[in-house]
């Protein structure tokens, strides 16, 4: 209040505009500029070209420039959620890398990070996560870091100037796709003289620009306050990072890769005890990036070698994005972070367990306490406490239990529940174990229910008569009593089947003939829904199915039987038999013929009704019917999918009739739907294209040539029709992919497309050399890259190389060098050559001084147009051989 | 990288697909028990010839066969291709047997493939060279292969016992294929065909054409079947005649059928069927029968006929990592086998959905991301 009154009385000082200094200069400059532009508009002719030749030259230059600006659009194949962006913090030692990461983490999460080891994942916004990695200062680490960085923060000691590490890293980045780069100047508080500081900033900035591009962002951190960077500056830096866009890089979009943020040795300890140098089994955890990863893919662990994956599992995201609620900013609760290598984060998610880190002083659960007092105090206890206790007492994890459980028609949870209710007193003694058993049982129950349903259905298929759900119910009671006596699931299962069959027989006789035909009709419908699975099973065998084998067999049989009876099924039934006899069977030497040689009985196509039956397949027939054939079927399959979910035995007929109505009156409707669908796809594609365009025009390269910008944009809109078309096609294809994949259910989708990007994966790799464990260093990030088709085999490659200007000496043929291509680094002996005028390759003993030459070497193949980098020596931190982006090819 | 791990397989079934996929993916394979139980164990002449063809096209490939010929070790090399190649396909299988893998191999070669294939051009077991030209080439166009480079010239025809045919094949290279959504089968708008006769009367060809037209005429007016009468050098070494038909639809699908009638080869395989074939089937019957076969193929539906299902699936699986969707009629045994081999080698599974209203099957797959690694870039 007092302050307010004081402020009221005070008269404000009037604003005085600057007459000298930087801001005044700026203002006058702007004014001049305005005037200039005004003049231009007043007399546009004065600035037009005057000669034809000049005009032509200008035009061709403009066109050329525009063409150079265009790049082949990179197809982004990430369909899943965006994985966290990797921010690599790089710089020479003692420049403040760890401190920057710490302060950034502090800024985002309000947590203090004791030390930076391994990747640190944080949620930085509602839509965005970041993963900070500190780049180690050896060449190997830098090469690996360059391969997974989305953004590289190059820390530069302002008081010292540029150091070689920065430039080396920049050169490595350029070869491996050149992600976004931002320079950060630190140690600026060492300057006492403001003028000198300004000069240095200017100088460093321009040097930085020549290395990257004019206008590249260089950020200044002015110094330390209480051993931390100033809050405001860190905030600004975070802002810069948060608005940054990351264009897809072609190598990475075509290969899946993981930056490992958790790493464990899962070798059986006995083996290690026997031989401490035995090959190890390891698990690697990380977000999947790049493109989808299939289960059979081989991976390359950088610096270790190629391995096939022994197991891949998708885990729940340890650092999920906040739920999409309409609110501004992040709540504190949502500001998660995850850094297992740094030993932070309270939750650890594994394939079969979640580890909770609880400080000892807060909680004290011990078994002793439990054993003593559970039985009596049961009711007074907190539910959560009980749960935790029961969890502690788990003997075998749930998934193991699930494996152990067998199919049983009748769930025996009734029995359990009843006992609990009546309180026999026998089970109370080990109540905590029953608790968790119940938990498991609930899972079992659901399984059982499913199985039950399937079995029932299949049984009915066999007998083709009406359902017996209620009778099942009766039996269930009976059975459960039996179960009390003998717990053998198998017996009960078989027994119940028999009884089912008997009952159904009776039933069908009672119902009479009319019902049977009705049933058959419904069976046809239902079987058609089931065929989806069956066809895939027929082709790919039983392993593809997720359900139990026994039920499948029953199903197959039933189908065969049906096909004998039913006209509708003839072709497919035959196929089933064929495949069982000829393909699945023992004959492994069947003749390899694409033409089906035995032409079975042909129809007499001279008869009128026979040839009239396919009249609509010809242009002479009914066009509308022919067209409907496609659309109907499309719509039909979709409907089938939807209805398949709700399929119910008793109400099955109702659904069916409903469906029939739909399809009969909806011919034209479907057509409309299809058109709408297509339009929707197109629209999506267009929008995405626009987005991409918009992003592109924001990119800094264009900001630099603002003067010419307007002109180019206009000409681009007119001329680059092909480019636009290309982009549109790519986008359309992407939308189609998404639409098609969304149709599938989750398990098939996983099988078809593999694990989606952005998933948190656990990779299990066997027989890794023990050195990986022995010399594991959390500060040295582990990169796991997927190997594309044909990239695992070795051969001769031809590359174009140029000696880097910093490398002091020329290189000699057959001197070993270390090459980095794709994900790999390996040592090899190149042979240098140069192409003569006559097209021959002449071997060179030494590389030329300032020219490209060819290098032939033996190694794992990589696709053409991959960047190559070679170094001669890893020990001294000096980059030796630096090629331009080298087109290269497999020789051999 | 010294030790090679071989993928172990058994039996001679699907030799072509296995070798093809092994070469494309560069997986070494070891095939055991090849015709092990037969009276004449070991690789058949056409299989040997196929291996020789693969050896011709690739560089640094390694083929080892044991003494009895029941075990084959194959380490694929880099597909080179190139021109001025000649291959004698022998007389045990027709050229069509070799063409099917050759097409895909040629697409992913380093250099454009120009090859002369000698042997039997038309056969009842394998698709004829005419069918290849009329059906398989348009099929490739759907996957982004430029149609200009594809060429197949029939210099001379040869039928079954003694062959003597010669075809010149040119296949361009591609960097990668493009995925396709190809479910619209359209309606048959025209039927084309070619009836050939070698070392027999022209009249037989005309009879076939007449008989086939007799069946089509009630359905479609636009039927044109050319007759190709070969004599002397162009006619090969054996007498025979045959016909191949193609139905083109409004959506650009080609559905084909072909057959050939000639005297069986006696010396190699004593098939029971061959005994009955001492007398050749009359030409009119052949025409009529083949027309019926074509109509049956049309009735089954799908964008390709049953013969080309395998090729279609392979192309889908070799696409970049996009979704391809195709519709075929009833799955043929060969198609099913191909699907399995694709799963084993390329790790690509198809989603197979029947379409009960039309009796067709819709297949979807996510391509394997195959790229031409050996193609030269400037």
């Amino acid at each position: 209040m007092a302050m307010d009154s004081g402020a009221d009385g005070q008269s404000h000082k009037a604003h005085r505009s600057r007459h000298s200094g930087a801001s005044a200069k700026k203002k006058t400059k702007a004014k001049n500029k305005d005037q200039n532009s005004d003049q231009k508009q007043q007399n546009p002719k004065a600035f037009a070209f005057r000669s034809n030749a000049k005009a032509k030259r200008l035009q061709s230059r403009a066109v050329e420039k525009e063409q150079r600006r265009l790049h082949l659009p990179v197809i982004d194949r990430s369909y899943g959620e965006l994985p966290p962006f990797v921010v690599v913090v790089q710089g020479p030692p003692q420049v403040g890398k760890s401190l920057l990461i710490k302060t950034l983490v502090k800024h985002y999460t309000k947590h203090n990070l004791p030390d930076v080891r391994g990747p640190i994942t944080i949620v930085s916004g509602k839509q965005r996560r970041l993963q900070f990695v500190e780049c180690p200062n050896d060449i190997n680490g830098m090469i690996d870091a360059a391969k997974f960085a989305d953004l590289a923060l190059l820390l530069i000691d302002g008081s010292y100037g540029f150091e070689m590490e920065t430039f080396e890293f920049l050169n490595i980045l350029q070869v491996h796709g050149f992600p976004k780069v931002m320079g950060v100047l630190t140690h600026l508080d060492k300057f006492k003289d403001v003028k000198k500081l300004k000069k240095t900033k200017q100088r460093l900035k321009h040097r930085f620009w020549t290395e990257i591009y004019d206008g590249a962002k260089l950020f200044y951190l002015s110094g330390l306050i209480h051993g931390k960077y100033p809050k405001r500056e860190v905030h600004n830096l975070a802002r810069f990072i948060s608005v940054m866009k990351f264009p897809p890089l072609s190598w990475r979009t075509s290969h899946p890769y993981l930056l490992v943020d958790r790493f464990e040795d899962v070798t059986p300890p006995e083996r290690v005890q026997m031989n401490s140098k035995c090959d190890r089994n390891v698990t690697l955890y990380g977000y999947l990036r790049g493109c989808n990863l299939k289960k059979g893919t081989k991976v390359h662990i950088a610096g270790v070698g190629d391995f096939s994956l022994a197991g891949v599992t998708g885990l729940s995201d340890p650092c999920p994005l906040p739920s999409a609620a309409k609110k501004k900013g992040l709540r504190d609760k949502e500001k998660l972070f995850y850094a297992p290598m740094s030993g932070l984060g309270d939750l650890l998610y594994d394939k079969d367990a979640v580890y909770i880190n609880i400080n000892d002083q807060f909680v004290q659960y011990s078994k002793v306490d439990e054993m003593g007092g559970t039985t009596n105090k049961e009711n007074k206890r907190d539910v959560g406490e009980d749960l935790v206790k029961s969890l502690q007492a788990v003997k075998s994890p749930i998934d193991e239990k699930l494996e152990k459980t067998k199919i049983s028609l009748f769930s025996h949870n009734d029995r359990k529940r009843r006992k609990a209710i009546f309180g026999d007193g026998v089970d109370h003694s080990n109540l905590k174990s029953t608790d968790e058993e119940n938990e498991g049982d609930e899972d079992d129950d659901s399984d059982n229910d499913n199985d039950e349903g399937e079995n029932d259905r299949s049984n009915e298929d066999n007998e083709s008569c009406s359902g017996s759900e209620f009778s099942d119910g009766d039996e269930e009671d009976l059975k459960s009593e039996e179960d009390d006596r003998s717990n053998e699931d198998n017996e009960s299962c078989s027994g119940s089947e028999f009884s089912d069959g008997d009952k159904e027989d009776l039933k069908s006789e009672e119902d009479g003939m009319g019902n049977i035909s009705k049933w058959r009709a419904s069976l046809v419908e239902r079987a058609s829904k089931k065929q989806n699975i069956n066809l895939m099973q027929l082709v790919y065998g039983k392993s593809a199915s997720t359900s139990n084998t026994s039920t499948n067999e029953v199903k197959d049989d039933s189908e065969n039987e049906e096909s004998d009876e039913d006209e509708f099924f003839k072709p497919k039934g035959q196929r089933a038999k064929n495949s069982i006899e000829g393909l699945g069977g023992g004959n492994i030497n069947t003749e390899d013929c694409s033409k089906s040689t035995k032409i079975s009985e042909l129809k007499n196509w001279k008869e009128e009704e026979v040839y009239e039956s396919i009249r609509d397949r010809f242009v002479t027939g009914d066009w509308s019917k022919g067209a409907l054939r496609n659309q109907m079927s499309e719509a039909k399959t979709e409907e089938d999918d939807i209805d398949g979910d709700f399929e119910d035995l008793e109400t099955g007929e109702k659904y069916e009739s409903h469906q029939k109505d739909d399809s009969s009156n909806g011919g034209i409707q479907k057509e409309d739907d299809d058109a709408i669908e297509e339009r929707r796809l197109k629209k999506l594609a267009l929008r995405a294209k626009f987005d991409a365009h918009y992003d592109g025009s924001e990119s800094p390269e264009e900001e630099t040539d603002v003067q010419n910008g307007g002109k180019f944009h206009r000409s681009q809109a007119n001329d680059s029709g092909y480019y636009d078309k290309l982009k549109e096609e790519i986008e359309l294809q992407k939308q189609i992919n998404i639409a098609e994949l969304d149709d599938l259910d989750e398990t098939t989708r996983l099988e078809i497309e593999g694990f989606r990007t952005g998933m948190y994966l656990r990779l299990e790799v066997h027989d890794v050399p023990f050195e990986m464990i022995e010399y594991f260093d959390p500060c040295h990030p582990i990169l796991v890259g997927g190997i594309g088709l044909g990239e695992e085999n070795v051969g001769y490659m031809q590359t174009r190389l140029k000696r880097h200007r910093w490398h002091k000496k020329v290189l000699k043929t057959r001197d070993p060098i270390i090459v980095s291509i794709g994900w790999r680094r390996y040592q090899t002996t190149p042979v240098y050559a140069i192409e003569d005028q006559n097209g021959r390759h002449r071997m060179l003993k030494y590389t030329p001084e300032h020219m490209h030459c060819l290098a032939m070497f033996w190694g794992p193949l990589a696709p053409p147009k991959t960047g190559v980098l070679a170094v001669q020596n890893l020990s001294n931190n000096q980059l030796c051989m630096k090629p331009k982006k080298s087109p290269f090819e497999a020789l051999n | 990288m010294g030790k090679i791990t071989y993928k172990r397989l058994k039996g001679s079934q699907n030799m072509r697909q296995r070798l093809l996929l092994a070469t494309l993916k560069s997986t070494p394979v070891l095939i055991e028990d090849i015709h092990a139980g037969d009276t004449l164990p070991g690789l058949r002449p056409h299989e040997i010839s196929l291996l020789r063809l693969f050896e011709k096209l690739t560089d640094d490939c390694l083929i080892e066969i044991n003494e009895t010929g029941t075990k084959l070790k194959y380490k694929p090399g880099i597909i080179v291709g190139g021109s001025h190649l000649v291959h004698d396909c022998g007389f045990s299988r027709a050229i069509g047997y070799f063409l099917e893998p050759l097409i895909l191999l040629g697409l992913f070669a380093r250099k454009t493939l120009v090859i002369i294939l000698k042997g039997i051009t038309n056969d009842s077991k394998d698709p004829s060279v005419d069918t290849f030209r009329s059906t398989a080439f348009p099929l490739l166009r759907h996957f982004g292969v430029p149609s200009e480079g594809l060429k197949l010239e029939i210099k001379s025809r040869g039928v079954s016992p003694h062959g003597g045919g010669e075809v010149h094949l040119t296949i361009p290279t591609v960097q990668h294929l493009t995925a396709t959504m190809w479910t619209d089968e359209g309606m048959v708008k025209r039927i084309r065909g070619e009836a050939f006769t070698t070392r027999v009367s022209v009249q037989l060809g005309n009879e076939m054409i007449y008989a086939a037209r007799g069946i089509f005429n009630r359905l479609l007016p636009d039927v044109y079947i050319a007759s190709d009468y070969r004599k002397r050098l162009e006619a090969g070494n054996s007498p025979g005649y045959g016909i191949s038909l193609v139905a083109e639809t409004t959506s650009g699908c080609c559905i084909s059928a072909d057959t050939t009638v000639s005297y069986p080869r006696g010396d190699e395989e004593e098939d029971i069927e061959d005994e009955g074939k001492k007398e050749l089937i009359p030409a009119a019957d052949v025409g009529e029968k083949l027309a019926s076969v074509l109509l049956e193929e049309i009735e089954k539906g799908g964008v390709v006929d049953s013969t080309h299902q395998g090729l279609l699936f392979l192309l889908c699986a070799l696409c970049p990592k996009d979704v391809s969707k195709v519709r075929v009629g009833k799955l043929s045994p060969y198609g099913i086998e191909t699907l399995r081999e694709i799963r084993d080698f390329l790790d690509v599974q198809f989603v197979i959905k029947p379409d009960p209203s039309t009796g067709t099957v819709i297949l979807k797959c996510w391509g394997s991301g195959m790229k031409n690694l050996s193609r030269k870039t400037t």
Side-chain angles (χ1 to χ4, degrees), chain A residues 77 79 254 256 291-292 294-297 306 528 531-532 535-536 538-540 543 568 571-572 574-575 579 583-584 587-597 599 601-603 605-607 611 613-620 622-623 626 629-630 632-634 636-637 640-641 733 736-737 740-741 743-744 751-753 789-794 798 860-865 887-892, chain B residues 1 10-17 25-26 33-36 59-60 78 93 97 100 110 123-127 179 181 183-189 191 218-221 250 258 288-289 292-293 295-296 298-299 301 306-307 320-323 325 327 330-331 333-334 336-337 339-340 343 346-358 360-362 364 366 368 370-373 375-378:
Chain A
R77 291 191 199 282
Y79 299 112
S254 54
C291 64
N292 292 347
K294 277 195 171 178
K295 272 194 174 138
T297 332
D306 289 2
S528 74
Q531 259 167 15
N532 174 14
L535 263 183
M536 280 189 75
L538 280 175
V539 173
Y540 291 126
S543 58
F568 190 83
K572 268 149 205 163
Q574 272 174 0
R575 185 190 319 138
S579 64
L583 309 171
N587 193 1
I588 49 166
N589 287 319
T590 41
E591 192 149 35
D592 189 0
C593 272
S594 61
K595 218 155 110 175
S596 46
T597 41
I599 295 159
E601 71 284 355
L602 289 166
K603 288 182 197 166
W605 289 96
K606 281 178 185 163
E607 282 172 32
Y611 73 74
S613 68
I614 61 162
R615 169 70 74 185
D616 290 337
R617 295 292 328 272
F618 287 82
V619 281
T620 49
D622 190 350
W623 277 67
R629 200 176 134 88
N630 284 318
M632 273 267 284
S633 55
E634 292 265 312
K636 195 77 183 272
T637 45
D640 281 353
D641 280 357
Q733 179 70 49
I736 287 171
N737 288 350
E740 289 296 333
L741 288 171
D743 275 358
L744 308 172
E751 225 143 78
I752 298 300
E753 64 156 358
L789 220 59
E791 284 169 32
E792 64 210 273
N793 45 318
V794 287
Q798 188 179 51
L861 298 178
K865 288 180 183 165
F888 83 113
E889 94 202 60
L891 249 188
N892 203 349
Chain B
M1 302 219 148
K10 274 200 168 172
S12 72
Q13 55 166 346
N14 315 320
M15 184 84 121
R16 284 184 296 172
Q17 289 110 308
K25 218 207 155 187
S26 345
D33 295 346
I34 302 169
H35 297 291
D59 203 348
D60 190 33
I78 287 167
R93 288 297 285 266
Y97 174 84
E100 284 175 27
R110 179 186 299 166
D123 189 3
S124 53
K125 236 184 217 171
D126 291 302
M181 305 295 276
T183 53
D184 183 14
E185 41 195 0
M187 295 154 87
V188 178
K189 63 175 178 188
I191 291 176
R218 274 168 255 171
L219 287 161
L220 198 71
T250 47
D258 66 69
E288 213 167 81
K289 197 176 131 199
S292 310
V293 171
L295 289 182
E296 218 130 276
I298 293 169
E299 191 193 19
S306 56
T307 311
K321 293 183 176 176
D322 287 320
V323 174
K325 192 174 174 187
R327 179 202 294 271
K330 185 181 138 182
L331 282 173
Y334 177 76
I336 292 174
E337 280 300 309
L339 287 177
R340 288 182 189 162
R343 197 251 329 246
L346 295 178
D347 196 24
V348 170
Q349 270 203 30
F350 283 71
V351 176
I352 309 164
K353 249 186 210 165
D355 181 357
S357 66
T358 54
T360 54
V361 182
I362 290 177
K364 261 192 262 183
W366 179 263
S368 63
M370 177 79 189
K371 265 189 206 159
N372 192 345
L373 285 187
R375 204 169 94 137
K376 200 168 183 171
T377 56
T378 47

Side-chain angles (χ1 to χ4, degrees), chain A residues 346-357:
Chain A
D346 292 336
L347 287 178
L348 267 188
Y349 295 86
D350 205 339
K351 185 176 72 170
D352 46 6
V354 181
Y355 302 103
I356 310 168
N357 271 345

